[in-house]
């Protein structure tokens, strides 16, 4: 473990201790479009009860995935090789999953299947982030999905969408939401995603 990582973990100790103490729902399955769900689970010290950890999907594919979750979870992956992409990529029927933080395709699929088996359909929490070309139509489509517990982090306030959550300071120059897992500064243990009360969200 490098010095920087140890330093960050020490800075986060009080925050994580406080959040873990308040968390009642420790078996939630967080289905996320990118690493946000995995980072939240890690900080709260709960098991990864979802396959969407250390990976990402583009907005259209993620919405397809959520629209027919049972179908896609039952399918097998085909390995894809994309020019300029150094990490594993898998095709799930007609959607692509980018295994950003895995070394091999085999490792990624093993973890996917292992975590698929842990999903609790009665305790689902769905998260999406407005980036990678996510449009206003995608935000509206997300809002219509039949999930009780859902949130989409947007690049600006979207008052007509009750599931949209805007964190000031997280809009990038190209209009996307920045990486919410990033820290807010060099000498802080606070991530941007901490501006969202995800403990209360998971507690329902």
């Amino acid at each position: 473990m490098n010095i920087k990582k140890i330093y960050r973990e020490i800075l986060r100790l009080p925050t994580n201790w406080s959040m873990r103490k308040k968390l009642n729902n420790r078996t939630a399955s967080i289905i996320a479009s990118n690493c946000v769900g995995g980072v939240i689970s890690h900080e709260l010290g709960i098991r990864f009860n979802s396959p969407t950890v250390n990976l990402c999907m583009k907005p259209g594919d993620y919405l397809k995935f959520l629209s027919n979750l049972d179908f896609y979870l039952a399918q097998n992956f085909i390995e894809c090789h994309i020019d300029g992409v150094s990490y594993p990529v898998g095709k799930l029927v007609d959607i692509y999953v980018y295994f950003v933080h895995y070394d091999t395709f085999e490792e990624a699929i093993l973890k996917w299947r292992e975590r698929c088996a842990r999903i609790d359909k009665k305790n689902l929490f769905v998260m999406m982030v407005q980036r990678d070309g996510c449009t206003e139509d995608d935000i509206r489509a997300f809002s219509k999905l039949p999930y009780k517990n859902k949130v989409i982090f947007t690049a600006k306030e979207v008052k007509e969408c009750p599931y949209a959550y805007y964190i000031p300071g997280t809009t990038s120059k190209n209009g996307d939401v920045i990486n919410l897992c990033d820290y807010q500064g060099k000498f802080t243990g606070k991530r941007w995603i901490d501006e969202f009360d995800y403990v209360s969200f998971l507690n329902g």
Side-chain angles (χ1 to χ4, degrees):
M1 186 179 292
N2 61 48
I3 298 298
K4 186 176 180 180
K5 188 172 182 180
I6 294 173
Y7 171 71
R8 293 290 193 186
E9 290 192 355
I10 292 173
L11 288 177
R12 282 201 67 84
L13 280 175
T15 300
N16 286 349
W17 182 85
S18 176
M19 291 192 299
R20 292 177 185 187
K21 190 175 180 180
K22 294 175 183 176
L23 182 67
N24 299 320
N25 182 11
R26 304 195 61 82
T27 59
S29 291
I30 305 173
I31 307 293
S33 60
N34 60 15
C35 296
V36 168
V39 168
I40 287 174
S41 297
H42 173 74
E43 301 293 16
L44 293 176
I46 59 177
R47 189 173 71 165
F48 295 143
N49 293 323
S50 161
T52 59
V53 175
N54 293 331
L55 56 81
C56 68
M57 298 182 211
K58 293 188 176 178
D61 285 352
Y62 181 63
L63 290 170
K64 278 186 184 180
F65 179 70
L66 290 179
S67 297
N68 205 348
L69 187 63
D70 289 339
F71 169 76
Y72 284 110
L73 291 177
Q75 305 307 309
N76 292 318
F77 277 99
I78 296 174
E79 185 175 8
C80 299
H81 298 282
I82 300 176
D83 289 342
V85 176
S86 60
Y87 46 78
V89 179
K91 186 177 182 182
L92 203 58
V93 186
D94 58 348
I95 67 175
Y96 291 87
V97 179
Y98 298 86
F99 297 105
V100 182
H101 298 293
Y102 291 95
D103 293 325
T104 67
F105 179 73
E106 290 73 21
E107 178 195 11
I109 301 309
L110 180 65
K111 289 299 183 181
W112 175 278
R113 290 172 179 165
E114 177 184 299
R115 292 162 182 165
C116 277
R118 300 174 182 169
I119 292 178
D120 183 352
K121 302 285 180 62
K122 296 180 180 179
N123 199 13
L124 281 180
F125 292 81
V126 178
M127 295 182 171
M128 186 173 180
V129 182
Q130 186 183 6
R131 54 185 294 133
D132 301 318
C134 180
T135 65
E136 292 184 4
D137 285 341
D138 291 330
I139 295 172
R140 284 190 285 268
F142 178 84
S143 298
K144 294 177 182 178
L145 291 171
Y147 294 94
K148 178 183 177 181
N149 305 302
K150 57 188 175 183
V151 60
I152 179 167
F153 299 100
T154 54
K156 61 181 181 180
E157 290 188 5
V158 185
K159 293 182 179 180
E160 64 271 21
C161 174
Y163 304 100
Y165 194 91
Y166 168 62
I167 300 174
T170 60
T171 306
S172 68
K173 292 180 180 179
N174 67 0
D176 280 354
V177 174
I178 62 173
N179 183 354
L180 296 177
C181 301
D182 283 347
Y183 292 94
Q184 295 185 26
K186 291 182 178 180
F187 306 105
T188 176
K190 193 170 187 179
R191 300 180 189 270
W192 286 105
I193 190 60
D194 294 332
E195 299 298 332
F196 172 68
D197 187 358
Y198 46 83
V199 172
S200 293
F201 176 66
L202 294 175
N203 281 341

